[in-house]
Amino acid sequence: MPEHTPKQTSPFCLRLTPEERAQLEREAAGLPLGEYVRQRVFDENRIKCRTRNKHTVKDHQILSQLLDELGRSRLSNNLNQLAKAANSGLLILTPEVKTALLNACADIRNIRETLMKSLGLDK
């Protein structure tokens, strides 16, 4: 890493246990601790820490559109009504009901794929 000395620096204090400091000194291998920590924190090639969420949103526009569609749909209410009818034995599987169920499954698959795409998990 090239030597970089800014014109003005700001002090930073870090409290460590004796064990943590000893480990840091071992890892620094003779470098001043401040320089070692600076290199570790600002190294371009370091492994980045994850964000709070497991996955970051890759496409906010797609996610926004999907959430809008979900908000306007009655999908969850309709699925709940179907589940109640099936559990009570009132669901008669006519060709129309079968088509409606297959369409609902396709819609759910599309929602899942769109969510995966918006999160960048569609690879």
Side-chain angles (χ1 to χ4, degrees), residues 31-71:
L31 276 176
L33 290 183
E35 180 62 25
Y36 175 70
V37 170
R38 195 175 303 108
Q39 284 181 15
R40 290 288 306 265
V41 170
F42 297 110
D43 179 12
E44 300 276 330
N45 298 318
R46 78 182 187 284
I47 297 172
K48 308 289 190 231
C49 294
R50 287 185 170 257
T51 58
R52 275 190 182 198
N53 297 326
K54 206 171 186 182
H55 306 287
T56 58
V57 175
K58 300 294 181 191
D59 191 327
H60 288 273
Q61 184 176 359
I62 291 173
L63 184 58
S64 177
Q65 288 171 347
L66 179 63
L67 291 174
D68 180 56
E69 288 177 32
L70 281 174

Side-chain angles (χ1 to χ4, degrees), residues 20-118:
E20 291 169 334
R21 178 158 185 140
Q23 179 181 345
L24 196 59
E25 287 173 343
R26 280 192 306 275
E27 291 176 8
L31 276 176
L33 290 183
E35 180 62 25
Y36 175 70
V37 170
R38 195 175 303 108
Q39 284 181 15
R40 290 288 306 265
V41 170
F42 297 110
D43 179 12
E44 300 276 330
N45 298 318
R46 78 182 187 284
I47 297 172
K48 308 289 190 231
C49 294
R50 287 185 170 257
T51 58
R52 275 190 182 198
N53 297 326
K54 206 171 186 182
H55 306 287
T56 58
V57 175
K58 300 294 181 191
D59 191 327
H60 288 273
Q61 184 176 359
I62 291 173
L63 184 58
S64 177
Q65 288 171 347
L66 179 63
L67 291 174
D68 180 56
E69 288 177 32
L70 281 174
R72 287 185 285 119
S73 80
R74 297 186 40 85
L75 184 61
S76 60
N77 186 49
N78 292 344
L79 286 174
N80 189 43
Q81 288 176 358
L82 285 169
K84 283 182 181 178
N87 286 334
S88 65
L90 298 174
L91 183 63
I92 300 170
L93 194 57
T94 64
E96 294 82 17
V97 170
K98 184 177 179 181
T99 299
L101 288 172
L102 290 173
N103 288 339
C105 289
D107 288 344
I108 292 169
R109 246 188 320 278
N110 184 47
I111 290 168
R112 180 184 184 280
E113 289 169 3
T114 304
L115 276 171
M116 297 293 281
K117 182 177 179 182
S118 73

